Amino acid sequence: MTAEARENRDFVREMVARDVVSGKFGRPVMTRFPPEPNGFLHIGHAKSICLNFGVAREFGGVCNLRFDDTNPFTEDIKYVESIKEDVRWLGFDWGDREYYASDYFERLYEFAELLVKKGKAYVDSQSEEEIRIGRGTVTQPGAAGPWRDRSVDDNLDLLRRMRAGEFPDGAHVLRAKIDLAHPNMIMRDPLLIRIRKAPHYRRGDAWCIYPLYDYAHGLSDAIEGVTHSLCTLEFKDNRDIYDWLVREVGFERPPEQTEFARLQLDYTVLSKRKLLRLVNEGLVSGWDDPRMPTIAGIRRRGVTPEAIRAFAETIGVARKDARAELASFEFAVRNDLNMRVPRVLCVARPLKVVLTNYPEGQVEQLHAPSYPHDVPRTGSRLVPFSRELWIDRDDFMEDPPRKYYRLSPGREVRLRYGYLITCTDVVKDSSGSVVELHCTYDPVTRGGNAPDGRRVQGTIHWVSVAHALPCELRLYGRLFSVPDPDDVPEGEDFTSLLDPESLAVLRDAWIEPSVADDPPGSRYQFERTGYFVSDLVDSRPGALVFNRTVTLRDSWEKEKARA
Ligand code: ATP
Ligand code: MG
């Protein structure tokens, strides 16, 4: 066990450590991340990825990437590609261990014949509905159907003909022969294989029978030699069938399943089915919409893989489900960006300031460090300063309350990296809205301090009108308006809980020119505004688009109140 494993101690790692010491499996630790390629990965999957790859690395083992692709209706190669990209981006490497459950269809079929021959599986020809009723209920045992005692020969013959495509969908299924009165409903002769005359995205028309999840999952683990099969709590009841199958098929020292808590994050949903609906119904711009909890969306939003890994570590691995607060995720994001991204000046809602005593045509290049003192990085740039500036509308109030330290008539403020200025005149249009401010600057205050030591409390950001680059800011908020959008009121659909204000677009923002040549995907802190990233899809030179990754602090409530 590495030092990292000792530090990350949780019940899963405790267990793996014990198993390594006792030599329980007689082989190196092997885990797997087993996505079904029917959607993009989300932050919940990231938790599972960090756990599976993390445990493998910490205990000198390996982690497989296995696509659990057993449903021909919902799966697609585009999801395989996106999943690989996301796992790689998160910083994990599966080497050459890229596996597909669909590559095991032959083995799984052989196992099926084996089970039939052992008398442990049978072909049932009841309808879906009859099978359901025959299962009984939680309080009532089920009853054997008419086909449960078919002979091995009949079963084999039917199974082979199922495979050969002689029957239509639903005509027969292969079921395990276990116990129709089993206290665990899943063990009441679970379905193993069904007929589905549908082409598979990888296997084409090679198969017309497909294994069910329970049948494919544990046996795929066993085929690969997995030791610790880590999955989320909703599979707790499936552990019995997992164990039954790997044992009956005859694996020595088979893998063991352990369940951990699923990540649930406030103000979002982590169900691929629901996320797919948001995409298909056009309620978001796609899987990579920056409001989506998908890895692709979070990446486009500007979050780094390091921040996601740090978040996964903070939430830890527990046995009981608990929701994570969005604030805990945003904390991890800010913490990471604070230490790595340069600061720049960007004015979101521009208001023009004319410095009436600043010489026309004069331009000064002001030195501006890109990082604050407490960030151990160096770097600086020059920001042009001239007679006409943009400042943020929010930094001016004509009639300010007490304790408002920004600009107002007669008041002096500091321009970041620049001069002290005083507002002398407010220019309004015919409707009375403020359109321009006239200010004077104090030439001896370059750098922001008055030689006479007079105190100026407020510091505001700005850009030079003649030099700034126009840009679009996309301010993303929470996707849903309630903390738990899985808790839907009677008669309503979860989509009714979407927050209509989750995106605000500001089209007339201005940013300092130093960013002109930065590649798309560059991240910044816009001073006093938030962390932003230039949009990987839509931003280009001359038409810059920035996504807000996260606000500087949790100013969400404040912002809502103002809107
Ligand atoms: P959904 O239920 O939304 O369809 P899923 O869990 O079925 O998602 P899979 O592709 O089967 O999606 O998941 C791959 C792995 O990721 C599984 O081992 C699953 O347990 C794990 N996983 C999925 N969602 C979460 C989550 N919210 N938190 C932690 N692990 C998760
Ligand atoms: Mg699943």
Side-chain angles (χ1 to χ4, degrees):
M1 184 177 29
T2 60
E4 196 186 352
R6 264 189 299 275
E7 237 167 67
N8 288 346
R9 273 298 166 104
D10 52 56
F11 83 97
V12 170
R13 287 170 168 95
E14 298 277 355
M15 171 193 68
V16 177
R18 278 195 306 274
D19 293 347
V20 168
V21 169
S22 70
K24 182 177 194 173
F25 293 96
R27 56 185 185 273
V29 167
M30 184 189 280
T31 57
R32 84 288 171 265
F33 174 63
E36 183 180 358
N38 61 354
F40 278 52
L41 297 183
H42 55 58
I43 181 86
H45 294 115
K47 172 180 177 174
S48 175
I49 293 167
C50 290
L51 176 64
N52 278 297
F53 282 90
V55 163
R57 186 186 55 224
E58 292 157 28
F59 291 93
V62 292
C63 178
N64 306 338
L65 175 61
R66 183 179 71 243
F67 293 95
D68 260 352
D69 54 352
T70 56
N71 183 349
F73 294 124
T74 54
E75 296 160 3
D76 198 288
I77 189 74
K78 73 175 180 223
Y79 298 129
V80 170
E81 296 305 331
S82 78
I83 288 167
K84 284 169 28 178
E85 180 184 355
D86 290 349
V87 175
R88 223 178 272 126
W89 180 78
L90 279 171
F92 299 102
D93 181 11
W94 56 90
D96 57 1
R97 292 176 313 283
E98 177 177 325
Y99 300 133
Y100 294 81
S102 58
D103 286 346
Y104 306 147
F105 284 168
E106 284 77 9
R107 296 277 309 270
L108 294 172
Y109 178 79
E110 284 164 24
F111 294 151
E113 288 210 355
L114 175 75
L115 290 170
V116 164
K117 288 175 192 157
K118 285 177 70 178
K120 297 288 184 178
Y122 63 100
V123 173
D124 196 343
S125 311
Q126 297 183 95
S127 70
E128 224 174 281
E129 178 67 2
E130 286 164 338
I131 289 175
R132 195 183 57 73
I133 293 168
R135 273 240 167 86
T137 64
V138 193
T139 49
Q140 294 236 307
W147 315 110
R148 195 168 194 266
D149 292 316
R150 268 182 169 138
S151 72
V152 168
D153 286 344
D154 286 353
N155 280 322
L156 259 187
D157 174 61
L158 283 168
L159 178 61
R160 287 174 182 162
R161 289 165 60 199
M162 278 168 67
R163 180 187 183 172
E166 287 186 28
F167 308 115
D169 288 12
H172 309 280
V173 291
L174 184 74
R175 293 179 75 175
K177 194 169 181 177
I178 304 177
D179 178 1
L180 281 162
H182 201 285
N184 179 354
M185 292 287 291
I186 291 181
M187 294 297 275
R188 296 185 183 177
D189 290 10
L191 272 57
L192 305 180
I193 291 178
R194 63 186 170 187
I195 304 169
R196 283 284 181 270
K197 295 210 159 155
H200 185 273
Y201 79 100
R202 280 185 94 242
R203 304 300 312 266
D205 292 319
W207 290 85
C208 62
I209 55 173
Y210 291 93
L212 277 98
Y213 171 85
D214 277 329
Y215 185 58
H217 189 78
L219 292 173
S220 298
D221 283 348
I223 288 168
E224 289 168 16
V226 165
T227 55
H228 298 85
S229 180
L230 310 175
C231 68
T232 35
L233 281 173
E234 69 269 24
F235 293 106
K236 205 173 190 75
D237 288 343
N238 304 63
R239 199 194 317 150
D240 287 342
I241 183 64
Y242 187 109
D243 291 342
W244 186 91
L245 279 165
V246 294
R247 191 179 61 239
E248 291 299 339
V249 166
F251 282 97
E252 301 264 323
R253 303 217 222 187
E256 287 183 7
Q257 173 180 308
T258 304
E259 308 86 19
F260 64 94
R262 202 180 166 82
L263 170 66
Q264 290 166 292
L265 189 59
D266 279 354
Y267 296 99
T268 196
V269 292
L270 296 181
S271 142
K272 280 190 285 188
R273 189 176 50 79
K274 289 182 177 171
L275 297 174
L276 180 65
R277 275 198 53 202
L278 297 181
V279 172
N280 285 346
E281 294 172 25
L283 298 167
V284 293
S285 67
W287 284 103
D288 68 346
D289 186 304
R291 290 167 294 183
M292 290 280 270
T294 51
I295 304 299
I298 292 172
R299 171 170 60 231
R300 194 170 163 195
R301 178 100 170 226
V303 173
T304 67
E306 289 83 356
I308 296 180
R309 297 202 302 262
F311 172 64
E313 216 161 280
T314 349
I315 53 174
V317 179
R319 290 175 203 266
K320 275 215 180 85
D321 277 329
R323 298 190 69 84
E325 284 182 47
L326 194 54
S328 64
F329 178 60
E330 294 189 342
F331 176 81
V333 174
R334 279 187 204 106
N335 224 19
D336 168 74
L337 292 176
N338 175 41
M339 299 306 277
R340 67 162 75 220
V341 303
R343 276 59 175 170
V344 297
L345 301 177
C346 178
V347 172
R349 300 172 181 87
L351 173 62
K352 190 181 273 187
V353 165
V354 179
L355 301 177
T356 50
N357 62 338
Y358 194 87
E360 300 248 13
Q362 177 173 308
V363 179
E364 285 174 80
Q365 298 291 339
L366 301 178
H367 179 260
S370 298
Y371 301 94
H373 296 299
D374 56 353
V375 171
R377 283 178 187 257
T378 50
S380 63
R381 78 284 184 194
L382 296 173
V383 274
F385 186 87
S386 66
R387 183 178 156 91
E388 295 196 351
L389 310 172
W390 295 117
I391 66 163
D392 217 295
R393 279 193 172 271
D394 292 349
D395 286 332
F396 173 77
M397 274 184 100
E398 197 171 9
D399 195 10
R402 278 189 59 218
K403 302 225 168 182
Y404 182 84
Y405 297 119
R406 290 168 274 166
L407 207 53
S408 58
R411 185 76 64 85
E412 187 170 46
V413 294
R414 178 180 299 103
L415 294 176
R416 186 89 165 126
Y417 311 122
Y419 292 93
L420 300 180
I421 63 169
T422 303
C423 179
T424 53
D425 277 299
V426 180
V427 182
K428 297 181 180 175
D429 63 12
S430 55
S431 70
S433 333
V434 177
V435 290
E436 193 173 293
L437 302 177
H438 289 176
C439 300
T440 54
Y441 88 114
D442 183 348
V444 301
T445 59
R446 181 167 163 155
N449 289 311
D452 65 4
R454 69 179 183 271
R455 271 175 44 97
V456 173
Q457 295 245 38
T459 299
I460 65 174
H461 60 282
W462 55 276
V463 290
S464 163
V465 170
H467 304 89
L469 309 171
C471 61
E472 175 178 316
L473 304 187
R474 297 177 181 170
L475 307 184
Y476 295 101
R478 297 163 176 172
L479 186 52
F480 288 90
S481 53
V482 295
D484 183 0
D486 289 315
D487 181 17
V488 187
E490 273 284 324
E492 273 188 56
D493 186 70
F494 81 100
T495 56
S496 67
L497 303 173
L498 283 165
D499 188 337
E501 289 168 35
S502 57
L503 170 59
V505 181
L506 305 180
R507 292 211 168 75
D508 55 353
W510 295 93
I511 191 166
E512 64 169 71
S514 70
V515 306
D517 297 326
D518 293 348
S522 296
R523 301 183 182 93
Y524 311 92
Q525 184 194 102
F526 291 177
E527 292 207 36
R528 303 182 59 238
T529 313
Y531 290 98
F532 283 78
V533 64
S534 66
D535 188 56
L536 279 166
V537 180
D538 295 331
S539 190
R540 56 185 65 72
L544 299 171
V545 177
F546 297 96
N547 300 327
R548 184 173 67 194
T549 311
V550 66
T551 53
L552 284 185
R553 52 198 89 73
D554 198 358
S555 58
W556 178 259
E557 297 306 331
K558 234 170 56 193
E559 210 173 286
K560 278 237 130 160
R562 200 174 56 200

